Amino acid sequence: VKKFEDIIAWQKGRVLCSAIYKITESGSFSMDYGLRDQIRRASVSIISNVAEGFERQTDKEFIRFLYFAKGSCGEVRAQLYIAQDLGYISESESKQLQESAYEISKIIAGLIKSISTRI
């Protein structure tokens, strides 16, 4: 891996972030400014923390930022439940996006484990 754009978690996070932005730009979801902005920030945080941690160029710092990114995956999943409960998105939309966030979280966990064994 030579640049953060090569990291699968970042690539999948980028797709998730775009999907979150699209799903929050219409209907009732677009008018719930608090939840809309928070879930957007959390999805942006996933890829931002992967990128920032990678650019720190030390394994310890990278791991630290990967944990932040992993936490943001959980935050997105929790907020998707709220959006579903409020009727902003369907159960199937929520499930699909939650599965994506969970997959990214698992990839990040594997990356943390891999880096940790090196140091």
Side-chain angles (χ1 to χ4, degrees):
V1 177
K2 296 186 180 194
K3 55 189 186 210
F4 68 79
E5 293 93 342
D6 297 331
I7 299 169
I8 293 171
W10 185 87
Q11 295 168 2
K12 290 183 178 282
R14 181 180 176 192
V15 172
L16 174 63
C17 188
S18 294
I20 293 293
Y21 266 78
K22 286 176 185 161
I23 208 162
T24 59
E25 69 187 4
S26 62
S28 298
F29 210 153
S30 69
M31 303 212 286
D32 186 334
Y33 303 114
L35 183 59
R36 181 199 67 194
D37 292 348
Q38 187 62 32
I39 196 169
R40 285 178 171 186
R41 280 193 303 272
S43 68
V44 168
S45 179
I46 296 167
I47 61 174
S48 296
N49 279 300
V50 171
E52 185 174 353
F54 181 84
E55 293 295 331
R56 296 286 177 124
Q57 297 185 337
T58 69
D59 287 340
K60 281 189 172 185
E61 282 287 289
F62 191 20
I63 289 170
R64 181 171 160 249
F65 280 85
L66 287 173
Y67 276 115
F68 296 150
K70 192 173 182 321
S72 294
C73 288
E75 186 177 354
V76 167
R77 287 175 36 225
Q79 292 159 358
L80 286 166
Y81 281 112
I82 296 166
Q84 178 187 336
D85 292 347
L86 294 173
Y88 297 162
I89 58 175
S90 69
E91 183 178 347
S92 64
E93 289 170 318
S94 179
K95 185 177 180 180
Q96 179 184 6
L97 292 169
Q98 286 177 24
E99 286 173 358
S100 177
Y102 185 67
E103 178 188 13
I104 295 164
S105 182
K106 288 190 334 186
I107 293 167
I108 291 170
L111 188 53
I112 291 167
K113 186 176 181 179
S114 174
I115 296 167
S116 295
T117 60
R118 281 195 327 227
I119 56 176

